Amino acid sequence: MKLQDILTLDCTLCAIKGTSKKKLLEIISETAAKKFDNIDTHQLFESLMAREKVGSTGIGNGIAIPHGRLTNTSQVIAVLLTSEQAVEFDAIDNRAVDIIIALFVPEENCQQHLDTLQSIAQIFSTKQFAKQVRKCQNSQELFTLIKHAKR
């Protein structure tokens, strides 16, 4: 599944004020919770934090792809967030993160989950694309950029 197929405008957040990894993950969880009928903000946040405890999802170049597996849903939800200021994320290159693409996926769909992560990594594989993302001034502009991404 491609990011372009699962991202919605209401889950695209541009230039968010967040001062920490925890705060940004809370904002992502609050945003995603509006899309689920039976999963609340706390459950979503805990699923992201459980994955972060295994190892940081900061993939380098100021980008992180936190993801949580959920047991009681068949929905796949993506949240894209850019932050006004980069925050420490324990990324593999030790660089602070200002682009976060979060995924919430059903626990039993491992292959779909991996395919979606690969799609996201491909979209953000060039520094040029990340620069375009960082230049977006509002959520609509950011959403449109992702929808028209070539990967």
XYZ file of all heavy atoms in Angstrom, residues 45-136:
707
model
N -1.002 6.091 21.159
C 0.269 6.582 21.679
C 1.104 5.429 22.229
O 2.304 5.338 21.965
C 0.018 7.645 22.757
C 1.272 8.184 23.366
C 2.083 9.059 22.661
C 1.656 7.809 24.647
C 3.258 9.553 23.219
C 2.816 8.303 25.218
C 3.621 9.172 24.496
N 0.478 4.543 22.974
C 1.199 3.399 23.551
C 1.754 2.492 22.458
O 2.855 1.950 22.605
C 0.296 2.618 24.509
C 0.026 3.349 25.802
C 1.288 3.667 26.585
O 2.173 2.792 26.711
O 1.409 4.805 27.080
N 1.018 2.333 21.349
C 1.524 1.483 20.265
C 2.766 2.108 19.628
O 3.707 1.396 19.277
C 0.440 1.225 19.212
O 0.183 2.366 18.424
N 2.775 3.431 19.491
C 3.966 4.109 18.951
C 5.138 4.016 19.922
O 6.276 3.745 19.513
C 3.656 5.582 18.656
C 2.663 5.875 17.543
C 2.430 7.375 17.411
C 3.126 5.292 16.218
N 4.868 4.235 21.189
C 5.944 4.197 22.181
C 6.524 2.790 22.337
O 7.736 2.641 22.532
C 5.449 4.728 23.533
C 5.151 6.221 23.527
S 6.531 7.251 22.963
C 7.710 7.001 24.281
N 5.676 1.776 22.213
C 6.172 0.395 22.300
C 7.172 0.135 21.176
O 8.226 -0.483 21.402
C 5.009 -0.591 22.215
N 6.886 0.629 19.999
C 7.816 0.448 18.875
C 9.098 1.253 19.087
O 10.192 0.782 18.785
C 7.135 0.843 17.560
C 8.045 0.849 16.348
C 8.717 -0.511 16.134
N 9.705 -0.476 15.081
C 10.968 -0.089 15.202
N 11.434 0.337 16.366
N 11.801 -0.120 14.178
N 8.983 2.458 19.610
C 10.167 3.288 19.849
C 11.091 2.659 20.895
O 12.302 2.851 20.843
C 9.766 4.701 20.269
C 9.129 5.525 19.164
C 10.029 5.752 17.963
O 11.233 6.048 18.135
O 9.532 5.617 16.834
N 10.519 1.906 21.827
C 11.342 1.237 22.842
C 12.201 0.146 22.225
O 13.291 -0.152 22.725
C 10.459 0.663 23.951
C 9.886 1.735 24.862
C 8.968 1.162 25.913
C 8.341 2.297 26.704
N 7.281 1.823 27.596
N 11.754 -0.437 21.139
C 12.526 -1.455 20.419
C 13.728 -0.807 19.749
O 14.811 -1.381 19.684
C 11.636 -2.173 19.376
C 12.451 -3.096 18.489
C 10.516 -2.934 20.065
N 13.530 0.398 19.252
C 14.579 1.152 18.572
C 13.954 2.345 17.891
O 12.795 2.302 17.483
N 14.707 3.393 17.759
C 14.177 4.611 17.167
C 13.755 4.375 15.725
O 14.409 3.636 14.975
C 15.213 5.730 17.206
O 14.694 6.881 16.551
N 12.693 5.046 15.330
C 12.210 4.980 13.950
C 12.712 6.179 13.150
O 12.243 6.422 12.044
C 10.672 4.908 13.904
O 10.145 6.027 14.626
C 10.174 3.607 14.514
N 13.666 6.919 13.710
C 14.310 8.012 12.981
C 15.239 7.414 11.931
O 16.224 6.773 12.267
N 14.905 7.599 10.642
C 15.644 6.928 9.566
C 16.767 7.774 8.988
O 17.476 7.340 8.093
C 14.693 6.475 8.440
C 14.013 7.681 7.767
C 13.681 5.472 8.963
C 13.278 7.329 6.481
N 16.929 9.000 9.482
C 17.976 9.881 8.979
C 17.411 11.009 8.143
O 16.234 11.022 7.784
N 18.253 12.017 7.884
C 17.877 13.183 7.089
C 16.702 13.952 7.692
O 15.911 14.556 6.975
C 17.582 12.772 5.638
C 17.544 13.960 4.699
O 18.232 14.967 4.909
N 16.732 13.861 3.665
N 16.549 13.893 9.021
C 15.481 14.636 9.680
C 14.109 14.003 9.549
O 13.090 14.662 9.749
N 14.068 12.696 9.237
C 12.805 11.992 8.979
C 12.652 10.821 9.946
O 13.606 10.105 10.231
C 12.773 11.466 7.527
C 12.910 12.628 6.542
C 11.500 10.666 7.259
C 13.191 12.204 5.114
N 11.417 10.628 10.416
C 11.091 9.465 11.246
C 9.805 8.831 10.727
O 8.927 9.514 10.209
C 10.917 9.866 12.706
N 9.740 7.498 10.878
C 8.543 6.762 10.470
C 8.074 5.895 11.647
O 8.210 4.671 11.635
C 8.808 5.882 9.228
C 9.491 6.670 8.117
C 7.488 5.294 8.711
C 9.892 5.831 6.909
N 7.526 6.530 12.682
C 7.011 5.738 13.797
C 5.794 4.930 13.338
O 5.038 5.378 12.474
C 6.639 6.785 14.838
C 6.441 8.037 14.074
C 7.312 7.955 12.870
N 5.641 3.740 13.883
C 4.508 2.915 13.490
C 4.062 2.046 14.652
O 4.873 1.604 15.458
C 4.828 2.063 12.256
C 6.177 1.425 12.278
N 7.338 2.122 12.012
C 6.553 0.158 12.543
C 8.364 1.305 12.099
N 7.927 0.118 12.425
N 2.759 1.866 14.710
C 2.169 1.054 15.758
C 1.286 -0.014 15.166
O 0.586 0.229 14.176
N 1.335 -1.185 15.764
C 0.476 -2.293 15.350
C -0.712 -2.358 16.306
O -0.534 -2.278 17.514
C 1.252 -3.601 15.370
C 2.320 -3.643 14.303
C 3.076 -4.949 14.374
N 4.118 -4.956 13.384
C 4.253 -5.898 12.464
N 3.418 -6.900 12.426
N 5.228 -5.835 11.594
N -1.883 -2.534 15.716
C -3.121 -2.518 16.489
C -3.851 -3.845 16.340
O -3.944 -4.381 15.229
C -4.013 -1.371 16.021
C -3.358 0.014 16.017
C -4.257 1.033 15.345
C -3.017 0.442 17.434
N -4.400 -4.347 17.445
C -5.035 -5.668 17.429
C -6.503 -5.638 17.032
O -7.006 -6.604 16.495
C -4.920 -6.338 18.807
O -5.491 -5.475 19.793
C -3.483 -6.647 19.143
N -7.196 -4.567 17.263
C -8.646 -4.593 17.089
C -9.145 -3.682 15.965
O -10.143 -2.987 16.115
C -9.333 -4.251 18.409
C -8.772 -2.976 19.029
O -7.756 -2.454 18.593
N -9.435 -2.483 20.065
N -8.452 -3.732 14.817
C -8.889 -2.935 13.678
C -8.386 -3.559 12.380
O -7.414 -4.320 12.392
C -8.389 -1.480 13.769
O -8.973 -0.719 12.706
C -6.872 -1.400 13.672
N -9.056 -3.232 11.302
C -8.580 -3.627 9.973
C -8.137 -2.394 9.187
O -7.685 -2.496 8.055
C -9.678 -4.371 9.215
O -10.804 -3.522 9.056
N -8.257 -1.219 9.815
C -7.897 0.042 9.170
C -6.389 0.278 9.183
O -5.699 -0.101 10.125
C -8.526 1.230 9.916
C -9.997 1.424 9.678
C -10.474 2.626 10.459
O -10.820 2.494 11.623
N -10.466 3.784 9.826
N -5.917 0.943 8.134
C -4.555 1.449 8.090
C -4.678 2.966 8.041
O -5.369 3.518 7.190
C -3.798 0.944 6.839
C -2.410 1.564 6.772
C -3.711 -0.567 6.842
N -4.022 3.641 8.972
C -4.087 5.102 9.052
C -2.663 5.650 9.004
O -1.769 5.148 9.688
C -4.761 5.569 10.366
C -6.176 5.013 10.491
C -4.750 7.098 10.477
C -7.183 5.547 9.510
N -2.481 6.688 8.207
C -1.199 7.391 8.156
C -1.412 8.824 8.623
O -2.452 9.429 8.337
C -0.647 7.389 6.733
N -0.439 9.349 9.333
C -0.437 10.757 9.743
C 0.918 11.330 9.348
O 1.961 10.778 9.700
C -0.647 10.922 11.270
C -0.582 12.396 11.660
C -1.970 10.298 11.709
N 0.879 12.412 8.602
C 2.102 13.109 8.202
C 2.160 14.426 8.956
O 1.194 15.196 8.941
C 2.102 13.365 6.700
C 3.221 14.265 6.151
C 4.594 13.677 6.420
C 3.021 14.498 4.671
N 3.275 14.657 9.612
C 3.440 15.861 10.410
C 4.805 16.471 10.125
O 5.800 15.750 10.071
C 3.318 15.490 11.892
C 3.538 16.565 12.943
C 2.676 16.278 14.164
C 4.981 16.682 13.353
N 4.820 17.776 9.913
C 6.088 18.502 9.911
C 6.064 19.417 11.119
O 5.026 19.945 11.499
C 6.312 19.327 8.622
O 5.288 20.314 8.497
C 6.313 18.432 7.391
N 7.214 19.575 11.740
C 7.278 20.432 12.923
C 8.055 21.699 12.599
O 8.945 21.705 11.755
C 7.916 19.688 14.099
O 9.230 19.309 13.800
N 7.681 22.783 13.280
C 8.365 24.066 13.076
C 9.837 23.954 13.403
O 10.676 24.520 12.718
C 7.720 25.152 13.938
C 6.442 25.688 13.384
C 5.922 26.872 14.194
O 6.446 27.153 15.298
O 4.994 27.524 13.707
N 10.126 23.232 14.478
C 11.514 23.039 14.893
C 11.796 21.550 14.970
O 10.945 20.768 15.410
C 11.759 23.661 16.264
C 11.684 25.167 16.269
C 12.047 25.718 17.634
O 11.676 25.171 18.648
N 12.806 26.804 17.637
N 12.978 21.160 14.541
C 13.370 19.758 14.635
C 13.528 19.364 16.105
O 13.947 20.176 16.928
C 14.671 19.538 13.874
N 13.152 18.118 16.412
C 13.242 17.618 17.784
C 14.140 16.385 17.831
O 14.259 15.649 16.857
C 11.841 17.273 18.358
C 10.952 18.497 18.401
C 11.180 16.159 17.577
N 14.749 16.175 18.962
C 15.600 15.003 19.171
C 14.736 13.747 19.063
O 13.661 13.668 19.649
C 16.257 15.081 20.552
C 17.158 13.932 20.846
C 18.251 13.748 19.817
O 18.877 14.744 19.389
O 18.470 12.595 19.409
N 15.209 12.770 18.287
C 14.411 11.568 18.029
C 15.262 10.295 18.105
O 14.808 9.224 17.749
C 13.772 11.676 16.636
C 12.380 11.129 16.538
C 11.282 11.936 16.794
C 12.153 9.814 16.178
C 9.993 11.439 16.688
C 10.872 9.306 16.069
C 9.787 10.125 16.325
N 16.507 10.414 18.516
C 17.429 9.267 18.561
C 17.566 8.611 17.187
O 17.634 7.385 17.066
C 16.977 8.222 19.599
C 16.933 8.791 20.998
O 17.865 9.543 21.361
O 15.965 8.499 21.731
N 17.586 9.423 16.140
C 17.668 8.913 14.763
C 19.011 8.244 14.512
O 19.996 8.507 15.205
C 17.467 10.057 13.772
N 19.061 7.407 13.487
C 20.284 6.651 13.197
C 21.466 7.553 12.840
O 22.612 7.180 13.037
C 20.062 5.602 12.091
C 19.583 6.249 10.794
C 19.100 4.537 12.536
C 19.536 5.303 9.606
N 21.173 8.752 12.323
C 22.266 9.683 11.988
C 22.458 10.753 13.063
O 23.167 11.727 12.861
C 22.028 10.328 10.623
C 20.765 11.170 10.563
O 19.993 11.210 11.558
O 20.519 11.780 9.513
N 21.784 10.583 14.208
C 21.846 11.516 15.339
C 21.327 12.912 15.000
O 21.601 13.870 15.719
C 23.268 11.611 15.912
C 23.695 10.311 16.540
O 22.930 9.685 17.262
N 24.904 9.886 16.246
N 20.610 13.053 13.912
C 20.055 14.334 13.501
C 18.640 14.483 14.058
O 17.883 13.515 14.125
C 20.024 14.390 11.970
C 19.592 15.697 11.421
C 19.785 15.756 9.922
N 19.036 16.869 9.391
C 18.813 17.065 8.124
N 19.288 16.236 7.221
N 18.118 18.100 7.722
N 18.295 15.691 14.463
C 16.943 15.960 14.941
C 15.951 15.778 13.785
O 16.307 15.878 12.609
C 16.860 17.375 15.505
N 14.696 15.517 14.128
C 13.658 15.176 13.161
C 12.627 16.300 13.054
O 12.189 16.848 14.059
C 12.980 13.847 13.585
C 11.686 13.603 12.849
C 13.942 12.686 13.394
N 12.235 16.625 11.818
C 11.166 17.599 11.600
C 10.115 17.111 10.607
O 9.151 17.798 10.324
C 11.721 18.956 11.162
C 12.481 18.905 9.851
O 12.752 17.804 9.345
O 12.809 19.985 9.332
N 10.281 15.887 10.081
C 9.279 15.259 9.225
C 8.964 13.898 9.831
O 9.858 13.060 10.004
C 9.786 15.064 7.780
C 10.132 16.403 7.138
C 8.733 14.312 6.947
C 10.823 16.268 5.772
N 7.690 13.690 10.174
C 7.274 12.424 10.773
C 6.112 11.860 9.966
O 5.112 12.547 9.755
C 6.853 12.607 12.242
C 7.999 13.214 13.054
C 6.396 11.281 12.835
C 7.628 13.575 14.476
N 6.277 10.629 9.520
C 5.214 9.918 8.834
C 4.864 8.733 9.720
O 5.628 7.768 9.826
C 5.643 9.409 7.440
C 6.295 10.530 6.626
C 4.441 8.839 6.695
C 7.795 10.496 6.645
N 3.719 8.800 10.379
C 3.323 7.755 11.315
C 2.310 6.822 10.660
O 1.443 7.259 9.905
C 2.716 8.370 12.572
N 2.431 5.543 10.992
C 1.504 4.535 10.496
C 0.895 3.767 11.650
O 1.592 3.429 12.610
C 2.241 3.508 9.627
C 2.619 3.865 8.226
C 3.370 2.700 7.604
C 1.405 4.210 7.402
N -0.381 3.492 11.513
C -1.079 2.598 12.431
C -1.652 1.490 11.564
O -2.407 1.762 10.624
C -2.190 3.337 13.184
C -1.671 4.424 14.070
C -1.651 5.739 13.628
C -1.188 4.130 15.336
C -1.161 6.755 14.442
C -0.687 5.143 16.149
C -0.679 6.449 15.700
N -1.254 0.240 11.845
C -1.621 -0.877 10.984
C -2.167 -2.040 11.810
O -1.809 -2.209 12.971
C -0.410 -1.360 10.153
C 0.080 -0.264 9.227
C 0.714 -1.829 11.038
N -3.030 -2.853 11.182
C -3.505 -4.055 11.867
C -2.348 -5.006 12.150
O -1.468 -5.185 11.303
C -4.483 -4.677 10.858
C -4.837 -3.585 9.919
C -3.650 -2.676 9.874
N -2.357 -5.602 13.309
C -1.259 -6.459 13.740
C -1.027 -7.638 12.791
O 0.099 -8.042 12.548
C -1.536 -6.984 15.150
C -0.356 -7.664 15.775
C -0.586 -7.929 17.245
O -1.554 -8.630 17.576
O 0.202 -7.411 18.048
N -2.091 -8.175 12.227
C -1.955 -9.369 11.399
C -1.509 -9.096 9.963
O -1.211 -10.011 9.219
C -3.259 -10.189 11.390
C -4.429 -9.497 10.720
C -5.167 -8.509 11.612
O -4.835 -8.368 12.795
O -6.092 -7.858 11.098
N -1.430 -7.842 9.547
C -1.051 -7.512 8.168
C 0.431 -7.140 8.059
O 0.770 -6.044 7.649
C -1.916 -6.360 7.643
C -3.336 -6.781 7.387
O -3.710 -7.912 7.630
N -4.144 -5.872 6.893
N 1.294 -8.063 8.380
C 2.736 -7.782 8.398
C 3.275 -7.385 7.024
O 4.030 -6.419 6.908
C 3.502 -8.998 8.913
S 3.263 -9.277 10.666
N 2.912 -8.127 5.982
C 3.456 -7.831 4.659
C 2.976 -6.474 4.157
O 3.751 -5.691 3.607
C 3.085 -8.927 3.653
C 3.814 -8.776 2.325
C 5.333 -8.756 2.484
O 5.912 -9.626 3.140
N 6.004 -7.763 1.914
N 1.699 -6.176 4.353
C 1.161 -4.866 3.949
C 1.887 -3.755 4.696
O 2.223 -2.719 4.121
C -0.339 -4.815 4.231
C -0.994 -3.519 3.806
C -2.466 -3.490 4.186
O -2.859 -4.000 5.233
N -3.269 -2.909 3.317
N 2.158 -3.965 5.956
C 2.861 -3.002 6.789
C 4.259 -2.752 6.219
O 4.679 -1.605 6.036
C 2.929 -3.558 8.212
C 3.629 -2.694 9.186
N 3.998 -3.148 10.414
C 4.057 -1.420 9.146
C 4.615 -2.188 11.086
N 4.666 -1.132 10.332
N 4.980 -3.816 5.902
C 6.329 -3.679 5.349
C 6.309 -2.991 3.985
O 7.167 -2.153 3.688
C 7.000 -5.047 5.248
C 7.306 -5.742 6.577
C 7.822 -7.151 6.337
C 8.286 -4.933 7.396
N 5.317 -3.330 3.167
C 5.193 -2.700 1.848
C 4.942 -1.195 1.980
O 5.501 -0.399 1.229
C 4.054 -3.337 1.045
C 4.357 -4.770 0.628
O 5.534 -5.194 0.713
O 3.398 -5.467 0.236
N 4.117 -0.825 2.933
C 3.814 0.593 3.142
C 5.043 1.331 3.652
O 5.348 2.435 3.186
C 2.626 0.758 4.119
O 1.514 -0.003 3.621
C 2.227 2.209 4.240
N 5.784 0.740 4.581
C 7.027 1.352 5.060
C 8.018 1.534 3.911
O 8.673 2.577 3.797
C 7.653 0.509 6.163
C 6.955 0.519 7.518
C 7.577 -0.510 8.448
C 6.986 1.905 8.137
N 8.106 0.557 3.042
C 9.005 0.654 1.895
C 8.570 1.779 0.957
O 9.396 2.533 0.450
C 9.055 -0.671 1.142
C 10.023 -0.646 -0.026
C 10.095 -1.982 -0.749
O 9.319 -2.897 -0.483
N 11.020 -2.080 -1.668
N 7.277 1.916 0.737
C 6.750 2.985 -0.106
C 7.114 4.359 0.456
O 7.544 5.259 -0.282
C 5.224 2.851 -0.219
O 4.641 4.024 -0.726
N 6.981 4.507 1.760
C 7.311 5.778 2.412
C 8.804 6.063 2.276
O 9.206 7.173 1.928
C 6.880 5.754 3.895
C 5.355 5.718 3.986
C 7.441 6.965 4.640
C 4.834 5.389 5.366
N 9.617 5.051 2.526
C 11.069 5.229 2.414
C 11.453 5.628 0.990
O 12.329 6.475 0.791
C 11.781 3.953 2.830
N 10.790 5.070 -0.014
C 11.082 5.419 -1.404
C 10.711 6.871 -1.703
O 11.471 7.588 -2.346
C 10.346 4.485 -2.362
C 10.949 3.110 -2.434
C 10.153 2.173 -3.325
O 8.991 2.403 -3.620
N 10.802 1.104 -3.740
N 9.554 7.289 -1.244
C 9.113 8.670 -1.489
C 10.113 9.659 -0.899
O 10.463 10.658 -1.509
C 7.704 8.920 -0.895
C 6.654 8.152 -1.688
C 7.367 10.413 -0.884
C 5.282 8.171 -1.053
N 10.578 9.363 0.307
C 11.461 10.282 1.026
C 12.941 9.941 0.846
O 13.781 10.395 1.607
C 11.091 10.303 2.510
C 9.822 11.046 2.781
C 8.597 10.403 2.741
C 9.842 12.406 3.044
C 7.419 11.091 2.973
C 8.673 13.105 3.277
C 7.460 12.445 3.240
N 13.272 9.161 -0.176
C 14.649 8.703 -0.357
C 15.605 9.792 -0.848
O 16.814 9.662 -0.698
C 14.689 7.510 -1.306
O 14.272 7.899 -2.601
N 15.084 10.861 -1.407
C 15.971 11.924 -1.887
C 15.890 13.140 -0.964
O 14.820 13.477 -0.456
C 15.610 12.365 -3.320
O 14.332 12.996 -3.310
C 15.595 11.183 -4.281
N 17.018 13.767 -0.787
C 17.041 14.990 0.026
C 16.213 16.084 -0.633
O 15.642 16.935 0.042
C 18.484 15.451 0.239
C 19.245 14.558 1.173
C 20.628 15.082 1.454
C 21.362 14.156 2.403
N 22.657 14.666 2.797
N 16.145 16.056 -1.969
C 15.377 17.061 -2.707
C 13.902 17.023 -2.314
O 13.279 18.053 -2.102
C 15.527 16.822 -4.221
C 14.730 17.780 -5.084
C 15.186 19.226 -4.946
O 16.327 19.497 -4.602
N 14.283 20.150 -5.194
N 13.329 15.809 -2.208
C 11.921 15.706 -1.845
C 11.705 16.191 -0.413
O 10.736 16.906 -0.136
C 11.392 14.280 -2.022
C 9.906 14.199 -1.845
C 9.064 14.625 -2.854
C 9.351 13.743 -0.666
C 7.683 14.581 -2.691
C 7.982 13.692 -0.489
C 7.151 14.118 -1.509
N 12.603 15.822 0.480
C 12.483 16.287 1.869
C 12.538 17.811 1.926
O 11.808 18.433 2.708
C 13.580 15.664 2.731
N 13.366 18.427 1.101
C 13.422 19.896 1.051
C 12.095 20.476 0.607
O 11.636 21.493 1.146
C 14.530 20.364 0.104
C 15.916 20.229 0.665
C 16.959 20.738 -0.324
C 18.356 20.548 0.214
N 19.381 21.013 -0.722
N 11.454 19.843 -0.379
C 10.150 20.311 -0.844
C 9.121 20.218 0.278
O 8.311 21.129 0.461
C 9.673 19.483 -2.045
C 10.427 19.746 -3.319
C 9.914 18.852 -4.433
O 10.063 17.630 -4.380
N 9.300 19.458 -5.423
N 9.160 19.123 1.019
C 8.237 18.943 2.142
C 8.441 20.055 3.167
O 7.491 20.658 3.655
C 8.423 17.542 2.781
C 7.723 17.450 4.127
C 7.937 16.461 1.830
N 9.688 20.356 3.466
C 9.991 21.383 4.472
C 9.583 22.789 4.026
O 9.379 23.662 4.854
C 11.473 21.344 4.808
C 11.859 20.116 5.594
C 13.333 20.073 5.955
N 13.589 18.915 6.791
C 14.189 17.811 6.362
N 14.647 17.726 5.121
N 14.366 16.788 7.186
N 9.461 23.012 2.736
C 9.066 24.324 2.221
C 7.561 24.543 2.249
O 7.098 25.672 2.080
C 9.571 24.504 0.781
C 11.059 24.706 0.689
C 11.485 24.897 -0.750
C 12.993 25.051 -0.848
N 13.434 25.162 -2.259
N 6.785 23.490 2.449
C 5.322 23.625 2.458
C 4.887 24.572 3.571
O 5.399 24.513 4.689
C 4.659 22.264 2.623
S 4.820 21.211 1.167
